[in-house]
């Protein structure tokens, strides 16, 4: 029988003995945190003397009472106690943290290298390097002599290479426990203690075992689980979020979540965010976490009669099968195990479980921490550095560049990439002298030898983190960064290459289909939701409908749905059972687990209908079938002999009681009925209706011709309602379609031209209620490729942008007009001129425009010189070709010779 006991150990020493008579105790074992224990023990009981002084207390479990095992995170420190001196029973209460609590007693010292802004730098370091620095240095100082660890700078405690590296700066005095928990919260590591030894693993690896496959761990009500309380809250729910970033960046995003009291709003203020992709990613994470009620599943467990036991069969971090909301079994992750033993010696406890939604919420929170912190990146970049040679006196190259790639789903439901780059600050120039940095420039290229680099981000002077998006998934990019000082470009860092991984997260399993058998066919319906009433994610594409004979299994897809609704399945034998289920597919092709299934059978149109071919000609008496026995519409063309119906047999006006059918009455056909003229495809779905009221409806492609210049409406293969304009060859069409997902609840018209002869340029026009866009893009990469115009209610932006980050733009708003880019001049027609010229010392100068202006310009200038208290200028005789300057130095007779740098701006009226 399963039992648990308590053993006392000397501090960092040997076993002292058994604590046989506790009044009661309770332990909590959370994932990635410090465990805790509460113990009540009488001073009069055997073994109380072992608790009289500080000691260690260990929990051990056994199935047979012979072999005892101390599970992970089960060694505690007796450091806090309480008692009432008036209590004659002498009961003392001990509160014991786990052995790993002592990591808070290890602090980071400054170390041998100079501090960076008062912090100790860890550049391009593994988690093992960082943690081992804390622990090994503390060991040298004599701290925690018996604490051990099973990882090193290269491998985790499972002997696997570290999956992530970091560039991060820690303040001296920071303790090791805070650092360890912070790394776990950013999804860098998982950790636990085994006795006095610290084990640290790559996140979601050794401590994320999948116990849902055979032989799966399934906790069942009445056997393993006694009670199953759920605690839910809507406190953090929201359906809209405002993202506020740098440079006046503000964007509002909303979700399809339906909350009981309508729209609830949230706010994200994050410095360093100034691009749409990063803002959308942060908003998406926030909205997904706040889309519904958050429920914590607590399951009371019993070891008596249970099939599955804690620690033996499952531990914190494992995914198991357990009762979810409503009691249905579902995959859940163990977040904490709590064990108890009462004064009667009865062992019990509970497990705290997270469903798929809560686990997704935790991952999103960690991903957001990575974006705003920018301290981690996946390892194994494989980049081939080729830094350029230094040019003159320049800033030294940045060190510790790491790039963290993230895949997210944009507003259209398609996967995109985003990166967060981090590097160490540059403090010296190439000669080792102190230098002030104006900014940092992050460059990017396809990770191909010889591919061009282009600038993607420029930071403020003290900022060593930058983000960039969107990027194509499945592509590999290389990055490098350099510092600038007083306009001089510094040395580039080493290259860092990353792969933008494809989206591999499937949608949730759909709810089970709702079946109805009527009119001789089967209707398969879906409510548009995932299991547990979860809304489908933004990258949802369709739900596939699967059918099989449950007595002769063999699944076949019989249709699909892109939203809540139903399909009709025809051609099934009466009374034959058919099993249906659904799977959800996203835009990336990821397919969910199957939904629950449902079974039904097609029923006859009229109860008592004869079975197929059961009535033969010999069974029908002569003259038994008369006109009053023939159902309207029952005699079709195949039943009538040639030339049997002549004009004299028809009335002047032929009134139809039901319909005239050409083809299979239940499949591909054209029919004339009371509603009008209709056509149906092989699946029995209506594709054409010409009604008596003049309405015409067509499902499928409508073309004005088969070849040559033509117009095609709803072309085959289109994912949105679309009009396609094809040239004579038909290979390079222009398109116009309506996109309802770009702005939720709003029909957006998108027009796309054909592609140019080089395959690198295409014009796109977007018409939305609050957004009008015209831009040239590269159809292959989706990157900007030329001029553009963006119009919104609050602003208008006109400019030029391309894949090399050549940006020149005007942005007009009610508050101001902004310009970013470069001014240039090429002749006398120039309206604005900005130049800097060098003049040799003297009392008079002539400054040339370098061309003849159409009219005499206006001029403003300043002069940089070594004698600002003596030198002043005034302008004389401006013309269309030049102007002259007179210096106050002329009054000195023989002025010294020196160089004057003249900075001027001129413009024509």
């Amino acid at each position: 029988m399963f039992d648990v006991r308590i053993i006392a150990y000397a501090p960092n020493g040997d076993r002292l003995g058994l604590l046989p008579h506790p009044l009661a105790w309770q332990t909590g074992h959370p994932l990635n945190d410090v465990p805790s224990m509460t113990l009540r023990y009488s001073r009069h009981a055997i073994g109380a003397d072992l608790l009289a002084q500080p000691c260690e207390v260990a929990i051990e479990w056994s199935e047979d009472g012979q072999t005892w095992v101390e599970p992970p995170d089960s060694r505690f420190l007796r450091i806090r106690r309480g008692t009432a001196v008036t209590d004659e029973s002498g009961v003392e209460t001990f509160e014991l943290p786990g052995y790993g609590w002592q990591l808070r007693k290890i602090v980071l010292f400054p170390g041998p290298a100079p501090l960076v802004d008062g912090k100790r730098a860890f550049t391009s370091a593994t988690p093992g390097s960082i943690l081992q620095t804390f622990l090994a240095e503390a060991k040298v100082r004599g701290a925690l002599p018996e604490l051990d660890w099973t990882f090193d700078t290269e491998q985790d405690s499972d002997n696997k290479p570290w999956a992530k590296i970091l560039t991060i700066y820690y303040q001296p005095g920071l303790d090791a426990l805070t650092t360890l928990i912070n790394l776990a919260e950013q999804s860098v590591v998982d950790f636990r203690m085994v006795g006095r030894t610290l084990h640290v693993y790559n996140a979601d690896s050794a401590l994320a075992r999948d116990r849902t496959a055979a032989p799966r761990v399934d906790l069942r009500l009445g056997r393993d689980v006694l009670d199953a309380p759920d605690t839910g809250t809507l406190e953090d729910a929201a359906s809209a979020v405002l993202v506020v970033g740098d440079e006046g960046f503000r964007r509002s995003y909303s979700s399809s979540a339906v909350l009981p009291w309508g729209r609830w709003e949230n706010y994200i203020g994050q410095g360093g965010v100034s691009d749409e992709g990063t803002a959308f990613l942060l908003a998406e994470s926030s909205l997904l976490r706040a889309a519904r009620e958050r429920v914590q599943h607590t399951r009371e467990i019993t070891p008596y009669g249970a099939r599955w036991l804690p620690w033996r069969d499952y531990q914190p971090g494992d995914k198991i099968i357990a009762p979810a909301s409503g009691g249905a079994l579902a995959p859940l992750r163990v977040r904490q195990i709590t064990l108890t033993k009462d004064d009667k010696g009865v062992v019990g406890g509970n497990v705290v479980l997270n469903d798929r939604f809560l686990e997704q919420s935790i991952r999103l929170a960690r991903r957001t921490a990575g974006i705003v912190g920018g301290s981690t990146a996946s390892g194994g970049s494989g980049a081939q550095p080729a830094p350029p040679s230094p040019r003159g006196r320049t800033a030294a190259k940045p060190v510790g560049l790491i790039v963290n790639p993230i895949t997210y789903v944009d507003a259209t439901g398609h996967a995109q990439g985003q990166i967060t780059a981090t590097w160490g600050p540059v403090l010296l120039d190439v000669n080792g002298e102190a230098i002030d940095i104006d900014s940092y420039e992050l460059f990017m290229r396809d990770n191909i030898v010889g591919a061009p680099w282009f600038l993607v981000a420029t930071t403020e002077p003290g900022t060593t983190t930058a983000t960039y998006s969107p990027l194509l998934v499945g592509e590999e990019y290389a990055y490098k960064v350099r510092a600038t000082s007083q306009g001089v470009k510094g040395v580039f860092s080493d290259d860092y290459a990353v792969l933008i991984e494809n989206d591999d997260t499937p949608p949730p399993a759909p709810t089970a289909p709702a079946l109805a058998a009527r009119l001789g066919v089967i209707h398969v319906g879906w409510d548009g939701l995932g299991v547990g009433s979860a809304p489908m994610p933004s990258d949802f594409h369709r739900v596939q409908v699967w059918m099989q004979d449950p007595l002769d299994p063999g699944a076949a897809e019989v249709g699909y749905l892109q939203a809540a609704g139903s399909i009709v399945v025809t051609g099934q034998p009466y009374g034959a059972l058919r099993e249906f289920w659904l799977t959800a597919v996203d835009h990336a092709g990821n397919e969910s687990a199957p939904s629950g299934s449902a079974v039904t059978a097609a029923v006859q149109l009229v109860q008592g209908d004869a079975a197929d071919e059961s009535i033969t000609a010999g069974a029908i008496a002569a003259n038994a079938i008369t006109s009053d026995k023939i159902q309207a519409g029952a005699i079709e063309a195949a039943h009538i002999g040639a030339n049997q119906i002549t004009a004299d047999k028809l009335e002047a006006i032929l009134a139809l009681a039901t319909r005239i059918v050409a083809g299979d009455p239940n499949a591909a056909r054209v029919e004339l009925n009371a509603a009008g003229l209709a056509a149906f495809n092989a699946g029995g779905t209506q594709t054409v209706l010409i009604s008596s009221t003049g309405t015409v409806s067509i499902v499928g492609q409508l073309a004005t011709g088969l070849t040559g210049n033509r117009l095609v409406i709803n072309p085959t293969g289109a994912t949105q309602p679309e009009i396609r304009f094809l040239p004579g060859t038909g290979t390079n069409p222009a398109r116009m379609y309506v996109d309802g997902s770009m702005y939720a609840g709003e029909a957006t018209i998108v027009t796309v031209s054909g592609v140019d002869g080089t395959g690198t340029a295409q014009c796109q026009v977007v018409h939305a209620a609050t957004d009008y866009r015209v831009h040239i893009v590269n159809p292959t990469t989706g990157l900007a490729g030329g001029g553009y115009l963006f119009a919104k209610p609050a602003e208008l932006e006109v400019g030029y942008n391309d894949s090399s980050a050549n940006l020149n733009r005007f942005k007009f708003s009610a508050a101001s007009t902004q310009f970013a880019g470069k001014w240039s001049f090429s002749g006398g027609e120039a309206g604005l001129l900005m130049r800097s010229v060098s003049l040799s010392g003297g009392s008079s100068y002539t400054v040339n425009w370098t061309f003849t202006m159409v009219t005499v310009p206006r001029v403003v200038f300043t002069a940089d010189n070594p004698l600002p208290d003596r030198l002043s200028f005034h302008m004389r005789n401006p013309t269309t070709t030049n102007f002259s300057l007179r210096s106050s130095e002329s009054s000195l007779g023989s002025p010294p010779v020196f160089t004057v740098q003249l900075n001027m701006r001129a413009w024509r009226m």
Side-chain angles (χ1 to χ4, degrees), residues 131-147:
L131 295 172
Q132 191 160 288
T133 298
F134 277 79
L135 302 177
E137 291 183 356
K139 283 276 190 181
V140 172
R141 297 191 299 266
L144 303 186
E146 293 303 316
L147 176 70

PDB file of all heavy atoms in Angstrom, residues 131-147:
ATOM      1  N   LEU A 131      24.388  30.398 -14.593  1.00  0.00           N
ATOM      2  CA  LEU A 131      24.109  29.807 -13.287  1.00  0.00           C
ATOM      3  C   LEU A 131      25.379  29.251 -12.641  1.00  0.00           C
ATOM      4  O   LEU A 131      25.568  29.367 -11.428  1.00  0.00           O
ATOM      5  CB  LEU A 131      23.057  28.704 -13.447  1.00  0.00           C
ATOM      6  CG  LEU A 131      21.672  29.181 -13.894  1.00  0.00           C
ATOM      7  CD1 LEU A 131      20.780  27.998 -14.204  1.00  0.00           C
ATOM      8  CD2 LEU A 131      21.032  30.075 -12.834  1.00  0.00           C
ATOM      9  N   GLN A 132      26.256  28.659 -13.449  1.00  0.00           N
ATOM     10  CA  GLN A 132      27.490  28.118 -12.889  1.00  0.00           C
ATOM     11  C   GLN A 132      28.393  29.227 -12.375  1.00  0.00           C
ATOM     12  O   GLN A 132      29.149  29.036 -11.410  1.00  0.00           O
ATOM     13  CB  GLN A 132      28.222  27.271 -13.929  1.00  0.00           C
ATOM     14  CG  GLN A 132      29.372  26.457 -13.349  1.00  0.00           C
ATOM     15  CD  GLN A 132      29.765  25.301 -14.243  1.00  0.00           C
ATOM     16  OE1 GLN A 132      29.042  24.323 -14.363  1.00  0.00           O
ATOM     17  NE2 GLN A 132      30.914  25.436 -14.893  1.00  0.00           N
ATOM     18  N   THR A 133      28.324  30.418 -12.971  1.00  0.00           N
ATOM     19  CA  THR A 133      29.087  31.560 -12.451  1.00  0.00           C
ATOM     20  C   THR A 133      28.633  31.885 -11.029  1.00  0.00           C
ATOM     21  O   THR A 133      29.455  32.079 -10.121  1.00  0.00           O
ATOM     22  CB  THR A 133      28.900  32.778 -13.365  1.00  0.00           C
ATOM     23  OG1 THR A 133      29.412  32.464 -14.668  1.00  0.00           O
ATOM     24  CG2 THR A 133      29.618  33.987 -12.808  1.00  0.00           C
ATOM     25  N   PHE A 134      27.302  31.944 -10.811  1.00  0.00           N
ATOM     26  CA  PHE A 134      26.780  32.190  -9.462  1.00  0.00           C
ATOM     27  C   PHE A 134      27.278  31.115  -8.502  1.00  0.00           C
ATOM     28  O   PHE A 134      27.813  31.418  -7.423  1.00  0.00           O
ATOM     29  CB  PHE A 134      25.248  32.170  -9.484  1.00  0.00           C
ATOM     30  CG  PHE A 134      24.592  33.451  -9.905  1.00  0.00           C
ATOM     31  CD1 PHE A 134      24.508  33.804 -11.237  1.00  0.00           C
ATOM     32  CD2 PHE A 134      24.037  34.303  -8.967  1.00  0.00           C
ATOM     33  CE1 PHE A 134      23.885  34.969 -11.627  1.00  0.00           C
ATOM     34  CE2 PHE A 134      23.404  35.468  -9.336  1.00  0.00           C
ATOM     35  CZ  PHE A 134      23.335  35.805 -10.674  1.00  0.00           C
ATOM     36  N   LEU A 135      27.082  29.839  -8.886  1.00  0.00           N
ATOM     37  CA  LEU A 135      27.327  28.744  -7.955  1.00  0.00           C
ATOM     38  C   LEU A 135      28.808  28.508  -7.694  1.00  0.00           C
ATOM     39  O   LEU A 135      29.232  28.341  -6.544  1.00  0.00           O
ATOM     40  CB  LEU A 135      26.679  27.467  -8.492  1.00  0.00           C
ATOM     41  CG  LEU A 135      25.163  27.540  -8.741  1.00  0.00           C
ATOM     42  CD1 LEU A 135      24.664  26.240  -9.347  1.00  0.00           C
ATOM     43  CD2 LEU A 135      24.415  27.850  -7.454  1.00  0.00           C
ATOM     44  N   ALA A 136      29.607  28.495  -8.760  1.00  0.00           N
ATOM     45  CA  ALA A 136      31.030  28.197  -8.589  1.00  0.00           C
ATOM     46  C   ALA A 136      31.734  29.291  -7.804  1.00  0.00           C
ATOM     47  O   ALA A 136      32.577  29.009  -6.935  1.00  0.00           O
ATOM     48  CB  ALA A 136      31.684  28.014  -9.965  1.00  0.00           C
ATOM     49  N   GLU A 137      31.432  30.560  -8.082  1.00  0.00           N
ATOM     50  CA  GLU A 137      32.060  31.644  -7.332  1.00  0.00           C
ATOM     51  C   GLU A 137      31.649  31.582  -5.869  1.00  0.00           C
ATOM     52  O   GLU A 137      32.460  31.852  -4.972  1.00  0.00           O
ATOM     53  CB  GLU A 137      31.700  32.990  -7.957  1.00  0.00           C
ATOM     54  CG  GLU A 137      32.340  33.229  -9.323  1.00  0.00           C
ATOM     55  CD  GLU A 137      32.012  34.606  -9.874  1.00  0.00           C
ATOM     56  OE1 GLU A 137      31.235  35.339  -9.234  1.00  0.00           O
ATOM     57  OE2 GLU A 137      32.538  34.952 -10.949  1.00  0.00           O
ATOM     58  N   ALA A 138      30.389  31.214  -5.610  1.00  0.00           N
ATOM     59  CA  ALA A 138      29.941  31.098  -4.219  1.00  0.00           C
ATOM     60  C   ALA A 138      30.667  29.959  -3.514  1.00  0.00           C
ATOM     61  O   ALA A 138      31.012  30.057  -2.330  1.00  0.00           O
ATOM     62  CB  ALA A 138      28.429  30.884  -4.173  1.00  0.00           C
ATOM     63  N   LYS A 139      30.899  28.871  -4.243  1.00  0.00           N
ATOM     64  CA  LYS A 139      31.640  27.744  -3.660  1.00  0.00           C
ATOM     65  C   LYS A 139      33.034  28.193  -3.226  1.00  0.00           C
ATOM     66  O   LYS A 139      33.513  27.829  -2.143  1.00  0.00           O
ATOM     67  CB  LYS A 139      31.751  26.619  -4.690  1.00  0.00           C
ATOM     68  CG  LYS A 139      30.494  25.809  -4.875  1.00  0.00           C
ATOM     69  CD  LYS A 139      30.387  24.719  -3.823  1.00  0.00           C
ATOM     70  CE  LYS A 139      29.262  23.754  -4.155  1.00  0.00           C
ATOM     71  NZ  LYS A 139      29.129  22.693  -3.140  1.00  0.00           N
ATOM     72  N   VAL A 140      33.692  28.952  -4.068  1.00  0.00           N
ATOM     73  CA  VAL A 140      35.036  29.426  -3.735  1.00  0.00           C
ATOM     74  C   VAL A 140      34.999  30.274  -2.474  1.00  0.00           C
ATOM     75  O   VAL A 140      35.928  30.245  -1.652  1.00  0.00           O
ATOM     76  CB  VAL A 140      35.628  30.211  -4.921  1.00  0.00           C
ATOM     77  CG1 VAL A 140      36.942  30.886  -4.527  1.00  0.00           C
ATOM     78  CG2 VAL A 140      35.834  29.285  -6.108  1.00  0.00           C
ATOM     79  N   ARG A 141      33.928  31.025  -2.307  1.00  0.00           N
ATOM     80  CA  ARG A 141      33.802  31.870  -1.115  1.00  0.00           C
ATOM     81  C   ARG A 141      33.356  31.063   0.102  1.00  0.00           C
ATOM     82  O   ARG A 141      33.200  31.627   1.186  1.00  0.00           O
ATOM     83  CB  ARG A 141      32.811  33.002  -1.381  1.00  0.00           C
ATOM     84  CG  ARG A 141      33.235  33.967  -2.480  1.00  0.00           C
ATOM     85  CD  ARG A 141      32.355  35.210  -2.505  1.00  0.00           C
ATOM     86  NE  ARG A 141      30.958  34.913  -2.764  1.00  0.00           N
ATOM     87  CZ  ARG A 141      30.385  34.927  -3.964  1.00  0.00           C
ATOM     88  NH1 ARG A 141      31.132  35.189  -5.046  1.00  0.00           N
ATOM     89  NH2 ARG A 141      29.108  34.667  -4.119  1.00  0.00           N
ATOM     90  N   GLY A 142      33.059  29.774  -0.076  1.00  0.00           N
ATOM     91  CA  GLY A 142      32.666  28.922   1.042  1.00  0.00           C
ATOM     92  C   GLY A 142      31.179  28.824   1.264  1.00  0.00           C
ATOM     93  O   GLY A 142      30.750  28.244   2.273  1.00  0.00           O
ATOM     94  N   ALA A 143      30.367  29.336   0.358  1.00  0.00           N
ATOM     95  CA  ALA A 143      28.916  29.307   0.526  1.00  0.00           C
ATOM     96  C   ALA A 143      28.357  27.959   0.074  1.00  0.00           C
ATOM     97  O   ALA A 143      28.814  27.370  -0.903  1.00  0.00           O
ATOM     98  CB  ALA A 143      28.274  30.441  -0.276  1.00  0.00           C
ATOM     99  N   LEU A 144      27.347  27.455   0.798  1.00  0.00           N
ATOM    100  CA  LEU A 144      26.606  26.239   0.472  1.00  0.00           C
ATOM    101  C   LEU A 144      27.546  25.111   0.035  1.00  0.00           C
ATOM    102  O   LEU A 144      27.509  24.664  -1.122  1.00  0.00           O
ATOM    103  CB  LEU A 144      25.566  26.517  -0.627  1.00  0.00           C
ATOM    104  CG  LEU A 144      24.534  27.607  -0.329  1.00  0.00           C
ATOM    105  CD1 LEU A 144      23.497  27.657  -1.416  1.00  0.00           C
ATOM    106  CD2 LEU A 144      23.884  27.387   1.020  1.00  0.00           C
ATOM    107  N   PRO A 145      28.369  24.610   0.926  1.00  0.00           N
ATOM    108  CA  PRO A 145      29.394  23.628   0.533  1.00  0.00           C
ATOM    109  C   PRO A 145      28.828  22.318   0.013  1.00  0.00           C
ATOM    110  O   PRO A 145      29.475  21.631  -0.768  1.00  0.00           O
ATOM    111  CB  PRO A 145      30.196  23.427   1.819  1.00  0.00           C
ATOM    112  CG  PRO A 145      29.262  23.822   2.922  1.00  0.00           C
ATOM    113  CD  PRO A 145      28.434  24.944   2.364  1.00  0.00           C
ATOM    114  N   GLU A 146      27.616  21.917   0.442  1.00  0.00           N
ATOM    115  CA  GLU A 146      27.063  20.626   0.016  1.00  0.00           C
ATOM    116  C   GLU A 146      26.111  20.744  -1.170  1.00  0.00           C
ATOM    117  O   GLU A 146      25.619  19.732  -1.665  1.00  0.00           O
ATOM    118  CB  GLU A 146      26.322  19.963   1.184  1.00  0.00           C
ATOM    119  CG  GLU A 146      27.244  19.548   2.316  1.00  0.00           C
ATOM    120  CD  GLU A 146      28.330  18.596   1.840  1.00  0.00           C
ATOM    121  OE1 GLU A 146      28.006  17.658   1.078  1.00  0.00           O
ATOM    122  OE2 GLU A 146      29.506  18.794   2.223  1.00  0.00           O
ATOM    123  N   LEU A 147      25.830  21.960  -1.622  1.00  0.00           N
ATOM    124  CA  LEU A 147      24.989  22.125  -2.811  1.00  0.00           C
ATOM    125  C   LEU A 147      25.777  21.684  -4.044  1.00  0.00           C
ATOM    126  O   LEU A 147      26.924  22.091  -4.245  1.00  0.00           O
ATOM    127  CB  LEU A 147      24.555  23.583  -2.969  1.00  0.00           C
ATOM    128  CG  LEU A 147      23.749  23.893  -4.237  1.00  0.00           C
ATOM    129  CD1 LEU A 147      22.363  23.259  -4.155  1.00  0.00           C
ATOM    130  CD2 LEU A 147      23.630  25.394  -4.452  1.00  0.00           C
TER     131      LEU A 147
END
